[in-house]
């Protein structure tokens, strides 16, 4: 319902008609996707083909604004004047200043009050630099905090004004051997335009002490690029009703994107805006450059079938790199990574620029400078120059399927991960305490919020985080290592039955 924080139930995110007018390209997109394929049979056993296709990736779910809510507001905050009371256009009679709302309005009046210009904001709701946005006036400090959170952390995520498009090319050579085996080699190339980027916007100049960019809202942009080249090989036997059959396929892919390998880069990556300004291309963090799958099947005449399946990959792009990016005296530089200020790594969970994801840790007494840092300890691995340039170790997984068919019923038994590989790909230990290169301290694996008691104003009281289940890192997750191989589900078993319906051959 209507509250003193927001009285406009029809527009809870305060989206103005100027900036947030949704276009037909958003509401009713129309995209031309041509396809062209040519095939030439060279001999009865050889053929070549080439194809081109233009594809579009439509924007995923958008809200055109994220509504905000807060609870347990200290009653004292309702009595404190808004912190913007010294701004121009301050109304001495009402004690209000123009700093609440989204600022994405033309002058006028809404349920929350009259919209007035705030000259302290350097861009308008239309994204025009130097044109101030129009806000309604905050009534008190509580309302100021509410709208600060709405705009800085739960900001309107209007996006999808454009559509990502891709040019896809491939060339294939196929050959069938005299014994019925078949082979195929395909080379493919993909170039993506206007791909999605979710970026944290720099709302102001960098901090004059640390150089850290001031992060404001986040937004979606459709200005990214992708460049992908790969080759795929396939070999298969004839489809035999009894005896041996199988296939093997191998794939090499080099996928480059200007979306850095940050946490969530396979779905919704959020990266600082300046990373896109570097023009750097990164390997897709979720895609192993080389992978292969092989399946072997033996079918008996009395209804038994055995089918092992082998899946292999040569490792996934990994690491935060020894290079970071940041503004020094207003200029963007590539600098050595560390755990202070702007040198913190731009990749790693749960979000960019977290000091606990650093590869090397700066000496707290003699830290040097951004260009020539002095480390007192590193994790001890051979970290590449840039995030995603190293690969995790190769992996091989094996599944096994057994079936028996009798009188129209198939009885099946499927084993996943036969050799019980219960370690996942390595991750950065965010609770690793460095004392020397490759050497961890006694508090490694411990979180400050995971202790039974917490110090509150000199008195130890029960820690609510502990009570709801927060704990230190698990022994099973190798808490003592700088790079953990987390515990993941190992071998699993499935039993199934299939029933044949109707009268078939």
């Amino acid at each position: 319902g209507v509250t003193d924080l927001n009285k406009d139930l029809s527009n809870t995110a305060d989206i103005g008609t100027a900036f947030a007018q949704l276009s037909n390209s958003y509401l009713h997109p129309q995209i031309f996707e041509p396809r062209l394929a040519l095939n030439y049979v060279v001999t009865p056993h050889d053929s070549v083909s080439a194809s081109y296709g233009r594809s579009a990736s439509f924007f995923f779910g958008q809200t055109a604004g994220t509504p905000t809510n807060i609870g347990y507001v200290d009653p004292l905050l309702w009595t404190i004047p808004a912190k913007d009371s010294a701004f121009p256009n301050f109304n001495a009679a009402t004690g209000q200043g123009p700093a609440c709302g989204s600022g994405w309005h033309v002058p006028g009046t809404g349920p929350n009050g009259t919209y007035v210009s705030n000259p302290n904001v350097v861009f308008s709701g239309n994204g025009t630099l130097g044109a101030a946005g129009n806000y309604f006036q905050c009534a008190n400090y509580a309302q100021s905090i509410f709208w600060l959170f709405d705009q800085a952390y739960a900001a309107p995520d209007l996006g999808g004004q454009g559509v990502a498009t891709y040019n896809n090319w491939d060339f294939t050579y196929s050959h069938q051997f005299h014994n019925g085996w078949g082979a195929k080699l395909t080379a493919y190339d993909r170039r993506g335009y206007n791909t999605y980027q979710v970026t944290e916007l720099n709302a102001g100049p960098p901090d004059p002490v640390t150089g850290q960019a001031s992060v404001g809202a986040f937004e979606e942009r459709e200005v990214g690029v992708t460049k992908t080249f790969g080759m795929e090989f396939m070999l298969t036997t004839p489809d035999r009703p009894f005896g041996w059959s199988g296939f093997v396929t191998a794939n090499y892919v080099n996928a480059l994107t200007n979306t850095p390998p940050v946490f969530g880069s396979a779905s919704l990556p959020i990266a600082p805006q300046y990373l896109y300004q570097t023009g750097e291309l990164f390997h897709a963090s979720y895609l192993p450059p080389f992978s292969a799958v092989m399946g072997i099947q033996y079918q008996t005449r009395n209804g038994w079938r055995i089918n092992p399946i082998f899946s292999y990959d040569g490792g996934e792009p990994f690491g935060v790199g020894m290079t970071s990016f940041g503004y020094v005296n207003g200029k963007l530089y590539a600098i050595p990574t560390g755990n202070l200020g702007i040198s913190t790594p731009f990749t790693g969970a749960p979000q960019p620029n977290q000091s606990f994801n650093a590869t090397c840790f700066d000496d707290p007494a003699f830290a040097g400078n951004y260009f020539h840092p002095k480390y007192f300890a590193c994790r001890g691995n051979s970290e590449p120059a840039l995030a995603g340039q190293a690969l995790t170790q190769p992996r091989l997984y094996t599944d096994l399927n057994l079936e028996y068919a009798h009188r129209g019923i198939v009885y099946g038994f499927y084993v996943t991960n036969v050799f019980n590989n219960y370690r996942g790909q390595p991750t950065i230990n965010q609770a690793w305490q460095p004392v020397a290169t490759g050497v961890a301290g006694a508090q490694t694996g411990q979180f400050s919020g995971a202790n039974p008691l917490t110090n509150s104003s000199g008195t130890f009281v029960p820690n609510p985080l502990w009570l709801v289940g927060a704990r230190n890192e698990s022994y099973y997750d190798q808490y003592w290592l700088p790079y953990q191989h987390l515990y993941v589900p190992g071998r699993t078993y499935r039993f199934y039955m299939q029933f044949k319906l109707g009268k078939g051959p």
Side-chain angles (χ1 to χ4, degrees), residues 38-55:
L38 299 174
N39 185 72
Y40 182 71
V41 179
V42 182
T43 72
H45 297 281
D46 300 274
S47 67
V48 294
S49 62
S51 67
Y52 164 78
R54 183 176 186 263
S55 60

Side-chain angles (χ1 to χ4, degrees), residues 19 57 59-60 62 156-164 166 193-202 217-225 258-260 268-279:
F19 178 78
S57 175
F59 28 81
F60 42 84
Q62 297 294 325
D157 53 356
L158 182 70
Q161 295 299 309
V163 177
Y166 301 86
Y193 303 87
N194 301 319
T195 58
Y196 295 112
Q197 297 176 336
V198 181
T199 176
E200 293 176 330
L201 298 178
N202 299 335
F218 68 88
E219 73 167 6
E220 272 188 31
R221 314 183 308 174
E222 294 85 16
V223 295
V225 298
N258 54 6
T259 297
L268 186 65
I270 299 180
Q273 184 181 23
Y274 61 81
L275 280 183
Y276 296 113
Q277 297 171 353
T278 65

Side-chain angles (χ1 to χ4, degrees), residues 228-383:
T228 304
F229 171 79
M231 299 188 71
E232 182 184 55
F233 173 75
M234 179 181 294
L235 178 67
T236 180
T237 68
D239 187 12
R240 301 187 176 102
F242 308 108
W244 293 99
S245 62
F247 75 93
V248 60
T249 178
N251 186 54
Y252 165 78
V253 56
N254 184 27
L256 299 175
T257 171
N258 54 6
T259 297
V262 296
F263 178 71
S265 59
S267 54
L268 186 65
I270 299 180
Q273 184 181 23
Y274 61 81
L275 280 183
Y276 296 113
Q277 297 171 353
T278 65
E280 192 70 57
L281 291 176
F282 304 89
H283 289 283
S285 64
Y286 50 87
L287 196 60
F290 178 78
S291 60
V293 178
M294 181 173 65
I296 304 173
Q297 176 177 291
Y298 183 75
Q299 180 83 33
T300 68
R301 294 182 180 274
N302 57 0
W304 286 94
R305 184 173 72 89
I306 181 171
N307 177 209
I309 304 166
F310 305 93
S311 301
Y312 171 84
D313 71 74
E316 300 176 359
F318 179 73
V320 303
M322 292 299 294
T323 303
S324 188
F325 298 94
Y327 284 95
V328 179
N329 296 326
K331 185 177 180 179
L332 187 61
Y333 288 94
I335 56 177
T337 188
N339 66 315
L340 297 176
I342 61 172
S343 68
T344 48
F346 53 79
T347 184
Q351 58 189 3
N353 298 112
Q354 300 300 306
S355 60
F356 45 69
N357 288 325
T359 297
C360 292
F361 297 80
D362 299 279
D363 189 322
F366 305 99
N369 57 53
Y370 279 137
F371 299 102
H372 301 285
K374 294 184 178 180
Y375 303 127
F376 81 89
C378 296
R379 293 182 185 264
N381 66 306
S382 180
E383 188 73 14

Side-chain angles (χ1 to χ4, degrees), residues 1-220:
V2 175
T3 71
D4 289 332
L5 298 171
N6 184 6
K7 301 178 182 179
D8 189 355
L9 290 181
S10 65
N11 188 5
T12 55
D14 193 55
I15 302 298
T17 57
F19 178 78
Q21 185 67 39
L22 300 182
S23 65
N24 280 330
S25 66
Y26 182 95
L27 298 174
H28 308 286
Q30 297 182 8
I31 298 298
F32 182 58
E33 295 181 295
R35 299 284 193 275
L36 176 65
L38 299 174
N39 185 72
Y40 182 71
V41 179
V42 182
T43 72
H45 297 281
D46 300 274
S47 67
V48 294
S49 62
S51 67
Y52 164 78
R54 183 176 186 263
S55 60
S57 175
F58 289 91
F59 28 81
F60 42 84
Q62 297 294 325
T63 63
T66 307
T68 296
N69 193 15
I70 59 175
Y72 306 103
V73 180
D74 192 320
L76 182 65
L77 301 181
W78 298 100
T79 65
I80 299 176
K83 296 294 288 184
D84 60 354
S85 59
F87 283 179
N89 299 322
F90 172 65
N91 190 324
T94 62
Q96 296 175 339
C100 281
S102 68
W104 294 348
H105 290 270
V106 296
T109 302
N112 285 304
T114 300
Y115 291 102
V116 293
S117 175
N118 186 347
N120 294 276
V121 179
V122 297
F123 61 91
S124 72
N126 289 316
T128 305
L129 189 65
N134 289 282
Y135 298 75
F136 62 87
Q137 296 174 320
C138 298
N140 46 60
Y141 192 47
Q143 199 176 60
S144 297
I145 293 178
F146 171 84
W147 284 103
L148 174 65
F149 179 84
D150 179 88
Q151 293 305 300
Y153 300 100
D157 53 356
L158 182 70
Q161 295 299 309
V163 177
T165 58
Y166 301 86
N167 286 334
N168 305 276
W169 304 84
D170 65 71
F171 179 84
T172 300
Y173 168 71
S174 302
H175 175 74
Q176 185 176 26
F177 297 94
H178 292 286
N179 60 2
W181 287 53
K184 183 171 67 172
L185 179 65
T186 300
Y188 56 90
D189 183 81
R190 186 188 199 206
R191 176 67 185 266
Y193 303 87
N194 301 319
T195 58
Y196 295 112
Q197 297 176 336
V198 181
T199 176
E200 293 176 330
L201 298 178
N202 299 335
D207 186 285
V209 177
T210 66
Q212 187 72 51
S214 175
V215 176
F218 68 88
E219 73 167 6
E220 272 188 31

